[in-house]
């Protein structure tokens, strides 16, 4: 077992804090929500108290506060990305996942570099600019070099209007030296989900392979940051254990990263268990999270770590995704496939996918829907390309200055999408939204937005500030 400090993810403390804060009265909750409105985050006790809210009036106040914080920091922006599964080979035995080693009922595939390039072309032709590379924990004969080669392949594909401008990565935990090479390959965020922070549950659902070592996984973001990767993403697979415990454990993980590196994670993902081929636990989660609790989780995270992005994938239905935009979600995947080769082949919910999808709509439809709700789909990759990552990003984000960059960049990258890829109906909705948004802006942000959007109209791609 990999060594980590004995008090890292302190389960006893989590139970104690949950116990002590389990029945807060209304005035206590209002006090916590008032503190959350200051956008400086919340402590463990505050978070524990919010998890116990069930009264509809209090829930409504929680959701309203989360909405206000989300709008103040992120405005109406929603960053768009697509996952790219390059291989479903895996040596691990995660009971909830279709890719687990002993599952004989899926077709195994490892995409060749040529095949990856074709997948990337298909994604670029839809309008994507951000890709999340995903793989099982087993690589072909070239080993981890396969992942590095794949990242290079993705960045090398250029089409008439597009290219992928940021590759984020969700692959198994690496050694520090490997993280260094991953950093050199030019990735954006490295993300890894602990799945469950509850050690006993972790052992029960991970029956084979390297993933059995809880500590190796839990400490992987420390190794990544030591290796110089500034932007890291964390997550929990909701449904495996009590969500209240998981949120508090995640707060401990974040606090530990902040204490050591001065900055916490760039993103939090909130996957909920979805059915997966041959997985009993995926269809019958031991701790099912209801829709209302799921919304509560998003709202609490938004208040607890206001400057950390929250990612919502297509595991969730279009309806749930829509509902959580207002509560704090800042990034969504769209038009996703979870089977290697799924974009070029245009397969929908292939049984060889990792899990079933809740939202099958193509990118253009998601964009139109999001824009009709007044949200601005952003394909911006400026921060990472200008070196605004890790602490630099947080320094910029915290005083709200990011709005001077993000709002104009979101509009110009959205305009680029509308001009190069959108259907007429989507372009109409989107162009109106861009105009209305600019009309509501003022000062430097407006000047920048107008200038960038005009440049795109004049035929320039990839303009940002
Ligand atoms: N294999 C690597 C790993 O396990 O970390 C990286 C990629 S794994 C394919 C990505 C994530 O998918 C996992 O961390 C897990 O949270 C999620 N996942 C697996 N099975 C799932 C299911 N049935 N429903 C929802 N999410 C699932
Ligand atoms: Fe393999 Fe990741 Fe699936 Fe576990 S979750 S079986 S490690 S692909």
């Amino acid at each position: 077992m990999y060594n980590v400090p004995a008090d890292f993810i302190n389960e006893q403390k989590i139970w104690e804090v949950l116990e002590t804060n389990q029945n807060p009265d209304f005035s206590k909750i209002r006090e916590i929500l008032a503190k959350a409105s200051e956008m400086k985050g919340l402590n463990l006790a505050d978070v524990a108290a919010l998890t116990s809210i069930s009264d509809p009036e209090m829930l409504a106040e929680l959701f309203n506060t989360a909405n206000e914080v989300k709008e103040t920091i992120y405005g109406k922006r929603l960053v768009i990305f697509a996952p790219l599964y390059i291989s479903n080979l895996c040596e691990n035995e995660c009971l909830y996942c279709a890719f687990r080693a002993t599952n004989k009922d899926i077709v195994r595939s490892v995409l060749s570099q040529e095949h990856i390039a074709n997948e990337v072309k298909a994604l670029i032709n839809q309008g994507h600019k951000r890709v999340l590379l995903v793989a099982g924990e087993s690589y072909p004969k070239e080993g981890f070099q396969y992942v590095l080669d794949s990242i290079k392949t993705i960045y090398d594909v250029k089409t008439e209007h597009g290219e992928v401008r940021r590759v984020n990565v969700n692959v198994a935990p690496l050694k520090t030296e490997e993280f260094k090479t991953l950093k050199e390959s030019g990735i954006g965020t490295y993300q890894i989900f602990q799945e469950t922070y509850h050690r006993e549950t972790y052992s029960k659902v991970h029956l084979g392979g390297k993933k059995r070592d809880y500590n190796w996984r839990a400490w992987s973001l420390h190794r990544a940051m030591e290796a110089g990767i500034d932007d890291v993403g964390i997550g929990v697979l909701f449904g495996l254990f009590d969500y209240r415990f998981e949120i508090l454990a995640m707060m401990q993980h974040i606090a530990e990263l902040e204490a050591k590196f001065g900055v916490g994670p760039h993103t939090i993902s909130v996957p909920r268990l979805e059915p997966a081929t041959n997985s009993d636990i995926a269809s019958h989660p031991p701790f099912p999270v209801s829709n209302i609790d799921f919304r509560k989780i998003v709202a609490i995270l938004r208040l607890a770590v206001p400057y950390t992005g929250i990612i919502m994938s297509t595991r969730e239905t279009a309806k749930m995704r829509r509902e959580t935009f207002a509560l704090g979600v800042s990034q969504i995947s769209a038009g996703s496939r979870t089977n290697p080769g799924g974009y070029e082949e245009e397969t929908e919910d292939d049984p060889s996918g990792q899990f079933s999808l809740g939202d099958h709509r193509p990118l253009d439809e998601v964009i139109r829907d999001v824009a009709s709700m007044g949200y601005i789909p952003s394909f911006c990759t400026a921060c990472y390309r200008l070196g605004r990552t890790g602490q630099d990003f947080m320094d910029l984000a915290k005083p709200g200055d990011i709005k001077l960059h993000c709002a104009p960049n979101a509009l110009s990258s959205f305009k680029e999408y509308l001009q190069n890829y959108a259907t007429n109906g989507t372009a109409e909705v989107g162009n109106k939204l861009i105009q209305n948004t600019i009309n509501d802006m003022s000062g430097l942000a407006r000047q920048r937005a107008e200038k960038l959007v005009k440049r795109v109209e004049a035929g320039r791609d990839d303009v940002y500030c």
Side-chain angles (χ1 to χ4, degrees):
M1 180 80 105
Y2 189 71
N3 269 334
V4 298
D7 61 346
F8 178 56
I9 312 298
N10 185 334
E11 298 194 3
Q12 195 190 338
K13 167 127 194 249
I14 294 173
W15 292 124
E16 278 166 18
V17 177
L18 281 172
E19 174 79 28
T20 324
N21 295 280
Q22 68 178 314
N23 281 317
D25 56 23
F26 283 12
S27 66
K28 178 69 190 166
I29 290 172
R30 291 206 169 104
E31 195 186 298
I32 297 171
L33 294 180
K35 176 177 169 190
S37 299
E38 290 168 20
M39 297 181 290
K40 294 194 180 118
L42 297 174
N43 62 32
L44 271 196
D46 298 333
V47 172
L50 294 184
T51 62
S52 72
I53 297 181
S54 59
D55 176 82
E57 197 189 330
M58 282 298 106
L59 267 181
E61 289 191 23
L62 168 69
F63 292 162
N64 284 341
T65 314
N67 180 236
E68 277 163 29
V69 168
K70 146 101 202 235
E71 299 243 328
T72 308
I73 297 177
Y74 299 87
K76 290 280 190 185
R77 279 175 297 119
L78 268 182
V79 169
I80 309 287
F81 73 96
L84 174 59
Y85 281 70
I86 58 169
S87 154
N88 60 9
L89 294 187
C90 196
E91 283 170 1
N92 293 327
E93 199 51 33
C94 311
L95 293 186
Y96 45 80
C97 178
F99 295 172
R100 69 191 184 281
T102 60
N103 186 13
K104 302 286 177 241
D105 287 346
I106 64 163
V107 180
R108 300 284 168 175
S109 39
V110 181
L111 300 188
S112 65
Q113 296 306 320
E114 195 186 345
H115 202 155
I116 291 173
N118 290 339
E119 286 284 276
V120 174
K121 272 180 214 145
L123 283 171
I124 295 174
N125 289 338
Q126 287 177 32
H128 279 292
K129 298 282 182 272
R130 288 168 163 254
V131 160
L132 172 68
L133 179 152
V134 188
E137 185 162 2
S138 175
Y139 306 116
K141 60 177 180 334
E142 56 273 45
F144 176 61
Q145 186 60 37
Y146 171 66
V147 173
L148 299 174
D149 292 346
S150 305
I151 294 167
K152 180 166 178 347
T153 299
I154 299 172
Y155 277 129
D156 282 349
V157 177
K158 310 271 178 228
T159 71
E160 189 196 348
H161 284 295
E163 64 277 304
V164 169
R165 298 175 187 160
R166 175 170 176 136
V167 181
N168 297 330
V169 171
N170 185 330
V171 298
L174 302 167
K175 297 178 194 137
T176 310
E177 283 310 309
E178 290 170 325
F179 274 126
K180 283 187 185 153
T181 55
L182 191 62
K183 154 103 184 153
E184 282 157 18
S185 72
I187 64 153
T189 310
Y190 170 73
Q191 59 169 238
I192 194 83
F193 313 149
Q194 186 60 20
E195 322 294 13
T196 171
Y197 284 96
H198 187 246
R199 289 181 173 83
E200 192 188 325
T201 305
Y202 190 92
S203 315
K204 279 192 199 151
V205 297
H206 298 113
L207 296 186
K210 194 146 196 197
K211 194 161 167 181
R212 278 189 62 68
D213 188 340
Y214 176 106
N215 289 351
W216 172 251
R217 192 171 182 88
W219 206 254
S220 59
L221 295 183
H222 282 71
R223 294 194 299 278
M225 290 183 96
E226 264 155 25
I229 297 179
D230 288 334
D231 289 349
V232 297
I234 62 173
V236 156
L237 184 51
F238 286 102
L240 292 175
F241 192 60
D242 185 337
Y243 76 86
R244 299 170 317 139
F245 176 95
E246 302 288 19
I247 298 184
L248 262 66
M250 197 144 61
M251 290 303 116
Q252 287 189 339
H253 193 176
I254 292 172
E256 164 68 41
L257 290 171
E258 278 175 350
K260 183 121 192 224
F261 302 100
V263 61
H266 189 66
T267 55
I268 298 182
S269 299
V270 289
R272 249 197 314 187
L273 268 179
E274 292 297 332
T277 307
N278 264 346
S279 165
D280 207 33
I281 195 174
S283 306
H284 304 101
F287 288 81
V289 174
S290 67
N291 285 345
I292 192 80
D293 282 341
F294 191 60
R295 291 166 63 206
K296 203 164 95 176
I297 290 169
V298 172
I300 293 172
L301 291 174
R302 177 74 300 135
L303 300 180
V305 278
Y307 293 92
T308 303
I310 299 181
I311 302 180
M312 181 68 59
S313 77
T314 51
R315 289 172 181 87
E316 297 298 332
T317 60
K319 181 170 181 293
M320 178 52 78
R321 278 151 56 89
R322 283 191 202 107
E323 285 172 358
T324 50
F325 298 162
L327 300 174
V329 165
S330 55
Q331 295 196 19
I332 59 167
S333 48
S336 308
R337 300 284 180 270
T338 65
N339 55 314
Y343 293 109
E344 213 195 352
E345 289 156 20
E346 295 200 0
T347 44
E348 208 177 86
D349 234 1
D350 186 301
S352 294
Q354 194 193 9
F355 45 76
S356 322
L357 300 176
D359 184 350
H360 300 266
R361 298 169 301 164
L363 177 64
D364 187 76
E365 210 177 311
V366 175
I367 297 292
R368 185 162 57 236
D369 186 32
V370 162
S372 318
M373 295 171 70
Y375 289 98
I376 299 156
S378 173
F379 295 86
C380 176
T381 52
C383 275
Y384 142 79
R385 289 155 81 206
L386 293 172
R388 297 193 295 249
T389 57
Q391 183 73 56
D392 291 343
F393 173 80
M394 289 298 169
D395 287 348
L396 193 68
K398 282 192 173 155
D401 281 358
I402 202 82
K403 276 191 174 172
L404 289 176
H405 298 279
C406 294
N409 288 341
L411 291 170
S412 61
S413 67
F414 182 32
K415 180 75 190 175
E416 194 182 329
Y417 171 83
L418 295 176
Q419 243 170 229
N420 296 336
Y421 305 101
T423 56
N424 289 343
T426 303
E428 199 180 316
V429 175
N431 282 322
K432 244 186 234 155
L433 178 64
I434 291 180
Q435 200 45 57
N436 291 343
T437 308
I438 291 181
N439 290 345
D440 287 344
M441 290 167 92
S442 58
L444 185 56
R446 180 177 179 144
Q447 277 172 28
R448 284 181 174 173
E450 280 174 333
K451 197 164 138 198
L452 293 183
V453 168
K454 277 207 185 100
R455 279 209 226 154
V456 178
E457 274 166 359
R460 285 273 310 275
D461 285 336
D462 201 14
V463 292
Y464 52 87
C465 59

